[in-house]
Amino acid sequence: MYVLHGLAGVSLVALVMVHVYFAVRPEKWWITNSMIFGWIARRHYLEHHDPDRCGGCPASRIRAGHI
């Protein structure tokens, strides 16, 4: 039972370390900020999403003049 407890503890620490590593990578920092603050800058949104493929996306409504 102690071995299982030790393996679970080491696994938990490893998973947390991997999660933190992938959350603070420089090229993905905008995603981490969006999870913390709850919004995405327009520049990042338009760089990573194609508003023309999504008819209900806010950027497509802005381009069409609806907002």
Side-chain angles (χ1 to χ4, degrees):
M1 203 60 164
Y2 290 113
V3 173
L4 213 87
H5 184 265
L7 287 174
V10 170
S11 298
L12 177 67
V13 170
L15 285 173
V16 168
M17 287 173 53
V18 169
H19 189 83
V20 168
Y21 168 75
F22 282 110
V24 297
R25 291 185 310 173
E27 67 270 10
K28 300 294 184 184
W29 186 243
W30 66 276
I31 295 175
T32 304
N33 278 342
S34 73
M35 288 188 270
I36 294 170
F37 297 113
W39 59 276
I40 298 175
R42 179 183 299 273
R43 178 176 62 93
H44 293 298
Y45 174 77
L46 294 175
E47 282 177 10
H48 299 283
H49 301 285
D50 185 10
D52 295 329
R53 291 183 64 190
C54 176
C57 295
S60 64
R61 291 187 304 212
I62 291 171
R63 279 192 195 150
H66 295 294
I67 295 178

